[in-house]
Amino acid sequence: MNDELIGKYLAGEAMPEEATALEEWLEQSPDNREYFQRLSELWYTSAGSKGHVLPDKQKVFGEISRQTPARPGAPPKKKQPLPRGLIIAASVVVVTVSLLLGLRKHSTEMPATVIPASVTTNEDIYRDTLAGGAILVLNSHSSVRLTSDHERELLDGQLFITAPARDSFAVKTGDVIIKAMDAAFSVSNSTKSGDIIIWGRKGTVTVYTPKGLQTVAAGSRLHYHFASGTWNRDTIYAANEIAFATRIFDFQDERLEDIMQQIGKAYEVKFLFQNPQLKDCRMSGSFEDQSLKYVMDIIAATLSVEYKIQGDTVIINGKACE
């Protein structure tokens, strides 16, 4: 693997087949992954971490030239010339760091890469698969910031993480750090109350706090009360709290409009009621990561309504419920 291709990848200029070749190279040995990680950390550190501040171009050149690591298996050199690929990468400093990192909405649209320096969502959710294998789903009205290749800082809202088995992953929020390996969990942080809630979905996560260490197992919840500085642990597991990421729902006598809002967020679709009275229909039901068509088939059969999927919109019609 040549440094030019690595430089193009870091700059977001690699073609899909080039990105695939690089990712296959990363899988070949730990040395390759370590070399790439050191090089990428050097580039992003040199470029600066503020998404809307342009880094100093000469500073970037000098820092990369001084610290460029040796390639795996290569003998040390007294003088290491600056890789042409990194020169290409450094030349794009006129673009914000967020653009350098290749912001994308769906993880399936592009090869896995590092997420932007910061991401803030409005009504939609944000999904991403990182190069290390971690899967992130940021809920609507939430904000997360990049702190390192294996850590994210949740500034506000809710973040769901599936941590890979081969690497640990950490989430920092407030003065709390959550670390996990081969686990899935959700972290919520309200800037209004300062409370932090950690839901365990799979495996066990470790929570580091100023007052000591806590653990959260699958099916349990840990609630940090900011005002009192105390922790509360329970086994209340509300599936709908993390359904935006898991697509596992448990509806109990809920309004159809409320049900559609949760389903719409998880499947990234919008719902249009041609008969507004249908919004007040009520139903109960459970779904576990089924397709959108399957979910809508069950709802339509239960409430005797009709639906049609057109792009990212689901149109619902029928008679009002009695």
Side-chain angles (χ1 to χ4, degrees), residues 27 33 35 69 71 98 101 104 106 114 117 147 161 215 256 273 275 291 307:
E27 293 296 325
R33 292 190 292 272
Y35 177 76
R71 293 182 55 84
S98 292
L101 299 179
R104 64 188 188 279
H106 303 290
V114 183
T147 51
I161 306 96
T215 59
L256 183 59
F273 290 90
N275 181 357
S291 67
Y307 78 92

Side-chain angles (χ1 to χ4, degrees), residues 115 130 136 144-153 168-172 177-179:
I115 70 169
L130 305 186
L136 310 182
V144 69
R145 179 168 58 199
L146 166 69
T147 51
S148 74
D149 283 346
H150 298 281
E151 181 182 280
R152 297 294 179 267
E153 181 178 6
S168 63
F169 193 85
V171 176
K172 182 178 184 293
I177 297 177
I178 306 100
K179 291 187 177 182

Side-chain angles (χ1 to χ4, degrees), residues 12 22 29 72 78 136 143 160 179 208 239 245 299 314:
L22 186 143
S29 75
K78 293 183 179 180
L136 310 182
S143 181
F160 186 88
K179 291 187 177 182
Y208 299 86
I299 292 175
V314 179

Side-chain angles (χ1 to χ4, degrees), residues 103-166:
L103 175 61
R104 64 188 188 279
K105 184 177 179 181
H106 303 290
S107 61
T108 57
E109 294 177 352
M110 294 179 63
T113 187
V114 183
I115 70 169
S118 64
V119 176
T120 299
T121 57
N122 293 313
E123 296 298 328
D124 295 331
I125 63 175
Y126 175 88
R127 299 178 185 270
D128 197 23
T129 301
L130 305 186
I135 300 173
L136 310 182
V137 186
L138 186 65
N139 204 350
S140 57
H141 306 291
S142 301
S143 181
V144 69
R145 179 168 58 199
L146 166 69
T147 51
S148 74
D149 283 346
H150 298 281
E151 181 182 280
R152 297 294 179 267
E153 181 178 6
L154 178 63
L155 303 177
D156 188 24
Q158 185 177 18
L159 176 66
F160 186 88
I161 306 96
T162 302
R166 61 182 180 272

